[in-house]
Amino acid sequence: MSLVIRFKNFLDETGNIARFTARFFSVGIKPRYENKELFNQCYIIGYRSLPLVGLTAFIMGLVLTMQLRPSLVDYGVESQLPVMVGLAIVREIGPVITALIFAGKIGSSIGAELGSMKVTEQIDAMTVSGIKPFKYLVATRVLATTLMLPLLTILGDAISLFGAYLGVNIRSVTSFDLFFLQVFKSLDFSDVLPAIIKTLFFGFAVGIVGCYKGFNSTKGTQGVGISANSAVVLSSVMIFIIDLLAVQITELMGLN
Amino acid sequence: MRNPKANNIKLGAFVLSALVLMIFAFFIIGKNNNIFGNDFRLKVQFSNLNGLTKGNNVLFSGLQAGTVKEVELINDSTIEVTMQINSKVKSFIHKNALAAVGTEGLMGNKVVNISPVKGISKKVEEGDLLKVKNTANMDEIIAKLSKTNDNVAIISEVLKGTVLRIDSSAILKLINDQSIGINLKASLKNIYKTTSNANEMTIGLNHLVNDIKKGKGTAGLLLTDTSMASTLKDAIVQIKAAGVNANQMTNQMNTMVKDLNHELTNGKGPLNRLLKDSLTAKNISLTIENLQKGTDGFNQNMEALKHNFLFRGYFRKLDSKKKEEQSELLKSSQKK
C-alpha cells in the first residue's frame, strides 16, 4: 500500500467515524429510548468496571505519592506533598488513567461483542425482527460509556486520594483531616470541572470508537479480533488527543 | 442480567455514590471559594501587588476570610483588588481596618492580610474601600539589611582600631601597675593628714577671729577700739597741721636765705661785711685774742677768789650738791 492509499483509507475511516457519530446524534437521541438496555449497559460498563478502576487508581495514588516524595524532600517542601498529589490526581492522572483502563476493558468488549454480532449476522436478524440495531446496540452503549466514565473517574479520584494518603503516611505521619484539608484547599472549580467534563468526551470517544469498530467488522472471527484490538488502540489515542484539546481549551478559557 | 432488579440496585448505588462524592467535593471546594455562601465584596487599592493574583487568599487577623476576586489596573500607580469575603467575618471587619499584601510563610503564596485597628469605627459594607497598610517587602528588607551590614562592618573596623589602641596604651599599663596603687594609697594618706592639719588650723584661726571680734588681744584692740580710732584721727589731723606749718616755715626760710644770698652777693649790710671784709676778719680775730686773754685773766681772778676765805664756803656747798644729784641718777637707773 502506497502512502497515498493509506492516507485515503485514513480519511475514509475518519469520515466513516464522523458519519457514525452523526448517526448517533440523529438516531440515538430521538425517542423511543431503550431504557432497560441502557441501564443494563450502565451496570455492565460502570459497575463492573469499578473494581478494576478502583485498584488501578489506588495503586496510582500510592505510587505517585511515593515517587514524588523524594524530589519534594529535596526542595524542602515535603509538607506540600498532599497538595501536589491531589492536584495531579484530580487534574490529570485520575481522568486519563481511568479512561485508559476503561478503554482497555470496555472498548475491547464493545468492539468484540458488536463485531461478533455483526459477523454472526445477529444485527441483520435484529433489523429483520423490527428492532433498530443502532438504537438498541450503539446508542445505549455510547450513552452508557459517556455517563459512566465521569462517575468512575470521580470514584477513582477518591480511591486514588486515599491511596495517596496512605502513601504519605508510609514515610511520615499526617492526619486524614489535615491531608483532606490540604488537598481541598489547593483544589478549585477550575481544577475539578474541566477534568470531569473531559471525561464525558473520553467516555463518548470510547463508546463511539468501540461501537464503530464492532459495527463495521468484517472477515469472520479474525475480523472480530481486529475490531476489538483497533477499538482499544484508537480509543486510547483519541483519549490523549481529547486530553490535549481539553488542556488547550481550558487554557484559552483562562481556567488553568 | 439474570436478576435485572438486583443489578439496577447495584448500578443505582454506584451512580449515587459517585454523584454524592462529586457534590461533596464541589461543596468543599465551594466552601473554600465562597461560591455557595452569601458573601460580600471589599476593595483595596495597592500601589504594588508583589505578585498577588486572582484566587489568592484573604486573611483577616490570620483567619481565612475570603479570596481575591479581581485585580484591575486603574492607573500606573494604583491597582484595585476586589476581594470576596465570607459574610461570617463581615460583622467583625470595621471600616478602619488595614489591608496589606503578605506572604504565606517565607516563600509561599501571596495573601491579602486585613488587620483590625483599635478605635471605634463603623462596620464595613458591600464594596467598601479599605485603607492600605504599608509593609516592608522582602526586597526592601534585604536592601536595608545589606546597608546595615555595611555599617556594622565599618563600626567593627573602627572598634578594632580602638581596642588595639587601648590595648597598647599607657593607661592600661597604669591600671596593671600595682606599685601605683600603693603610691596612690600613701598619697591619699598624706592628703588625709594634710587636710586634718588644715582643719585644725582653720579651727585655730576661727578662735582667733572670734577673739578679734570680741576685742581681745592687741589686734582686737586695734580693730575694735573706737576711741583709739578717733585719737588716731586727731593725731593725723595734727600731723597734717604740723606739715602745713613746716611748709610755711620752709617757705620763710627759703625767702630768708634768698635775702641773705642777695645781701651777700651785693655787699650790703653787716653780714656781707662780716663774711667778705678781710679787715673785719682781722679785727674779729684780734677781738677773739683779746677775749682769750681777758678770760684767762678772769680765770686767774676766779681761782684767787676760790681760795679767798670769804668765798670758800660757797664753793664747797656747790660740790656736795653735784655729788647728791649724781648718786640719785645712779639709783634711778638701777631701779629701771
Side-chain angles (χ1 to χ4, degrees):
Chain A
M1 272 210 282
S2 73
L3 199 71
V4 179
I5 295 167
R6 270 194 184 188
F7 188 65
K8 269 188 178 173
N9 282 344
F10 171 72
L11 286 181
D12 187 40
E13 186 88 348
T14 313
N16 280 335
I17 291 173
R19 266 175 189 276
F20 194 78
T21 311
R23 197 174 161 196
F24 165 76
F25 280 111
S26 62
V27 178
I29 298 288
K30 284 175 187 161
R32 316 168 3 238
Y33 300 115
E34 299 287 346
N35 283 335
K36 205 178 170 188
E37 177 62 13
L38 176 66
F39 285 128
N40 191 32
Q41 285 303 323
C42 281
Y43 171 74
I44 294 161
I45 290 166
Y47 184 79
R48 288 277 184 83
S49 302
L50 186 58
L52 183 67
V53 167
L55 180 69
T56 51
F58 177 78
I59 291 167
M60 206 59 224
L62 187 67
V63 170
L64 189 70
T65 309
M66 290 168 78
Q67 295 278 27
L68 274 172
R69 185 191 178 79
S71 54
L72 287 183
V73 170
D74 280 351
Y75 285 107
V77 283
E78 197 192 340
S79 62
Q80 299 296 306
L81 190 55
V83 175
M84 281 282 294
V85 174
L87 274 176
I89 286 168
V90 170
R91 288 183 74 124
E92 187 62 27
I93 307 287
V96 171
I97 294 291
T98 310
L100 286 175
I101 295 294
F102 190 75
K105 187 177 187 293
I106 303 301
S108 62
S109 78
I110 290 173
E113 195 184 4
L114 292 193
S116 60
M117 282 172 106
K118 171 83 181 178
V119 168
T120 54
E121 295 178 348
Q122 286 182 51
I123 291 170
D124 295 336
M126 278 173 123
T127 316
V128 171
S129 63
I131 299 165
K132 287 180 179 169
F134 193 88
K135 215 176 178 65
Y136 187 78
L137 297 174
V138 176
T140 51
R141 281 171 172 76
V142 172
L143 267 176
T145 54
T146 310
L147 293 174
M148 287 303 109
L149 185 57
L151 299 180
L152 278 172
T153 306
I154 289 161
L155 287 168
D157 282 354
I159 294 162
S160 199
L161 285 173
F162 182 70
Y165 165 67
L166 293 181
V168 171
N169 269 311
I170 287 173
R171 285 293 187 87
S172 64
V173 176
T174 184
S175 72
F176 187 76
D177 282 350
L178 181 63
F179 180 84
F180 185 84
L181 268 177
Q182 275 186 301
V183 169
F184 276 96
K185 202 183 164 223
S186 64
L187 287 179
D188 207 341
F189 283 110
S190 60
D191 299 317
V192 178
L193 282 176
I196 288 170
I197 289 163
K198 76 183 173 187
T199 56
L200 285 167
F201 290 93
F202 291 167
F204 184 74
V206 170
I208 283 285
V209 169
C211 288
Y212 171 78
K213 288 290 180 187
F215 218 69
N216 292 299
S217 72
T218 47
K219 295 174 196 167
T221 45
Q222 200 189 356
V224 175
I226 290 168
S227 62
N229 180 38
S230 59
V232 173
V233 172
L234 191 59
S235 55
S236 300
V237 173
M238 285 292 283
I239 284 164
F240 281 108
I241 291 167
I242 290 166
D243 198 32
L244 179 66
L245 282 172
V247 81
Q248 299 281 359
I249 289 164
T250 50
E251 189 81 42
L252 280 174
M253 286 169 76
L255 290 171
N256 234 359
Chain B
M1 273 186 250
R2 283 173 199 160
N3 191 351
K5 205 175 182 183
N7 288 353
N8 277 355
I9 289 166
K10 284 175 185 169
L11 178 67
F14 164 74
V15 172
L16 269 178
S17 61
L19 285 175
V20 164
L21 262 179
M22 187 172 78
I23 289 162
F24 180 66
F26 278 12
F27 179 72
I28 297 280
I29 294 164
K31 209 173 154 192
N32 287 346
N33 238 355
N34 298 315
I35 275 182
F36 292 123
N38 48 341
D39 41 24
F40 69 108
R41 287 174 182 222
L42 287 179
K43 288 176 178 174
V44 191
Q45 290 185 343
F46 292 112
S47 59
N48 188 353
L49 290 183
N50 286 320
L52 185 82
T53 53
K54 200 174 148 184
N56 278 136
N57 286 331
V58 177
L59 304 181
F60 175 66
S61 305
L63 180 85
Q64 170 76 42
T67 49
V68 173
K69 202 68 199 168
E70 216 175 302
V71 173
E72 194 184 1
L73 251 173
I74 287 181
N75 58 45
D76 61 344
S77 62
T78 316
I79 304 159
E80 191 174 80
V81 173
T82 309
M83 300 173 293
Q84 195 152 28
I85 309 284
N86 194 332
S87 55
K88 279 181 190 170
V89 193
K90 184 177 182 177
S91 55
F92 298 101
I93 304 178
H94 293 264
K95 283 196 174 185
N96 62 356
L98 297 176
V101 178
T103 316
E104 282 178 347
L106 197 63
M107 312 290 280
N109 288 332
K110 293 291 170 188
V111 291
V112 178
N113 283 313
I114 301 174
S115 44
V117 175
K118 278 183 184 174
I120 300 157
S121 181
K122 282 182 183 172
K123 280 161 188 169
V124 283
E125 285 158 25
E126 172 81 30
D128 272 348
L129 191 71
L130 292 180
K131 281 176 191 164
V132 174
K133 183 163 101 182
N134 283 323
T135 50
N137 68 32
M138 215 56 206
D139 295 340
E140 282 169 16
I141 289 168
I142 287 164
K144 272 181 189 169
L145 261 182
S146 80
K147 250 187 211 171
T148 315
N149 250 339
D150 290 346
N151 291 342
V152 167
I154 293 165
I155 289 164
S156 64
E157 194 63 35
V158 173
L159 266 179
K160 191 179 143 197
T162 315
V163 168
L164 282 176
R165 260 193 283 164
I166 288 169
D167 196 40
S168 60
S169 69
I171 288 172
L172 206 73
K173 278 177 193 164
L174 280 179
I175 289 166
N176 282 335
D177 199 345
Q178 284 185 338
S179 64
I180 284 168
I182 295 161
N183 289 347
L184 261 176
K185 217 173 175 182
S187 312
L188 281 174
K189 263 185 191 167
N190 288 342
I191 287 168
Y192 177 72
K193 271 184 193 167
T194 318
T195 44
S196 59
N197 287 346
N199 198 24
E200 279 173 24
M201 222 159 82
T202 44
I203 288 165
L205 269 174
N206 201 21
H207 282 304
L208 215 75
V209 169
N210 277 339
D211 286 352
I212 288 166
K213 269 186 190 165
K214 284 171 190 164
K216 284 178 186 172
T218 35
L221 259 180
L222 265 175
L223 292 173
T224 51
D225 198 345
T226 45
S227 63
M228 203 168 101
S230 63
T231 44
L232 257 175
K233 202 178 173 184
D234 288 346
I236 287 162
V237 167
Q238 281 169 0
I239 286 163
K240 198 180 172 185
V244 170
N245 289 343
N247 200 22
Q248 279 176 354
M249 210 166 78
T250 44
N251 279 343
Q252 283 169 357
M253 280 186 72
N254 203 18
T255 49
M256 211 168 79
V257 168
K258 268 182 186 171
D259 289 349
L260 273 172
N261 205 21
H262 190 253
E263 278 180 25
L264 270 173
T265 47
N266 291 346
K268 280 177 186 174
L271 250 174
N272 191 31
R273 202 177 284 172
L274 262 174
L275 291 170
K276 300 242 174 153
D277 200 346
S278 54
L279 226 161
T280 326
K282 262 184 191 174
N283 287 345
I284 286 168
S285 69
L286 260 176
T287 318
I288 288 166
E289 265 180 39
N290 289 342
L291 267 171
Q292 187 78 28
K293 279 173 186 173
T295 49
D296 281 353
F298 183 74
N299 224 10
Q300 278 176 348
N301 290 342
M302 279 305 284
E303 278 294 315
L305 267 172
K306 274 182 191 174
H307 293 293
N308 190 319
F309 74 95
L310 282 174
F311 299 101
R312 207 186 290 170
Y314 172 74
F315 283 109
R316 277 180 189 163
K317 275 181 184 174
L318 271 178
D319 278 345
S320 63
K321 244 190 182 173
K322 262 188 184 175
K323 279 175 185 172
E324 273 180 14
E325 277 181 355
Q326 277 178 345
S327 65
E328 273 182 10
L329 271 169
L330 274 169
K331 276 177 185 172
S332 66
S333 66
Q334 278 173 348
K335 270 182 185 172
K336 280 176 183 176

